[in-house]
Structures are given as C-alpha cells and as structure tokens.
Amino acid sequence: IVAVSVVFTTKEVVEEDKTLPQISERESSGIKPYIQSNVLQRNATWGHMAKDDPKQLALNWILNKDKMQLESLDERLSQRYICALLAFSFDSPAWNFCGNLTIPGNAEEEYAVSSCLVTDQSGLEKQKKEHSVWLSNTDECDWYGVTCVDDAIIGLELNDNNLIGEIPPEIGKLNLTLLSLKDNCIF
C-alpha cells in the first residue's frame, strides 16, 4: 500500500485579459448600436467592416475625438455622424476649402483647427467669409457648405472643393432640400 499526500495551496493570480479590447464609457453608452440600427444603410454591421472603412472612421471620431460628445439620445447625433462619414468618405484633408484638420507641423493637434476663411464668389465684390472646419469642435451646422434650419441639416453645398470618393448611402437619412457637389471627383 502506497500512501500519497497531496497539498493544495491557493495563490490569487490576477491578470489583465489581453484578448478582449477595452471598452470606453462612450462605447458602452449605446451610441454604436444606435448608429448601426438607425443610420447605417444596406444592412451594414460594424463587425463586417474594415478598420479603415469611412463608416468605422466616422464612428471612431464620434466616440473618441469629437469634442461635442453627443449622446445616443441627442437628435443631432445621426446628422453629425453622417457629416463625419462624408468627411472621411471624401478625403477631407485634401479639400480646397475648410477640410484641413490639423495645425501644420503638429500631428498631435489633430482636429484642432476650427475656422477657415473662404472667398465668397457669389457677389460682385469678392469678400472673405469665415466658416467652421469640418470635424472641428464646432456645431456641424456651422461647418463650411452646410445649411441648417432649426439645427437640422437641409443643405450641403461643397462645389469645386476637391472632394474625392463615393457618396455614402447614409446621406439619404438627411432631409436635404439642396445637395450640390459639382466639379468634384465623386463616383
């Protein structure tokens, strides 16, 4: 007969689970599912998109970089997301007017520029007019080329602005009475 003695000891081991991504407070606030179910078109889901998809880039901006920090119940969240989606879809840093997001030479100041001057070509006298830069910390109704009534976007006029890209179908969620994008490279 052989006697075996086994001694168990307990040692608390606390390790951070590195397989699961950390979820921010904004991500857990319901913004992501709200946008997926109320804004995205063509049965798009976050899980089936590449990280560099303009829809993902716009979501990341809304969640992590947008200084307005709108909540999922805010009526303007959808239109702000759609505007961000347009900016990422049309390569806004390359725009002729009001798309420059950074302070030259300082990559850490991304989205820091909030205003731009554009020469108004509509009248006989060419005057410079101040606008807000797209993806800035200002109200999207103040962004260059955006027209609003009662805080709702009704018009987008970004003619001859070096827009390059595809119009995302989500733009149909805006109640636009004017959409003018002539003299750009849109497909």
Side-chain angles (χ1 to χ4, degrees), residues 38-50:
N38 294 298
V39 180
L40 296 184
Q41 299 289 296
R42 300 182 181 161
N43 298 318
T45 59
W46 303 118
H48 294 97
M49 288 181 211

Side-chain angles (χ1 to χ4, degrees), residues 86-135:
L86 288 169
F88 287 107
S89 295
F90 292 145
D91 190 22
S92 63
W95 291 2
N96 292 334
F97 309 112
C98 302
N100 189 5
L101 311 172
T102 59
I103 295 172
N106 190 351
E108 291 179 16
E109 292 293 329
E110 188 175 38
Y111 309 110
V113 176
S114 62
S115 66
C116 61
L117 290 175
V118 177
T119 302
D120 182 11
Q121 301 291 336
S122 62
L124 295 174
E125 294 182 30
K126 306 220 183 313
Q127 298 178 358
K128 291 201 180 259
K129 187 175 178 185
E130 188 168 344
H131 298 276
S132 292
V133 175
W134 280 61
L135 301 180

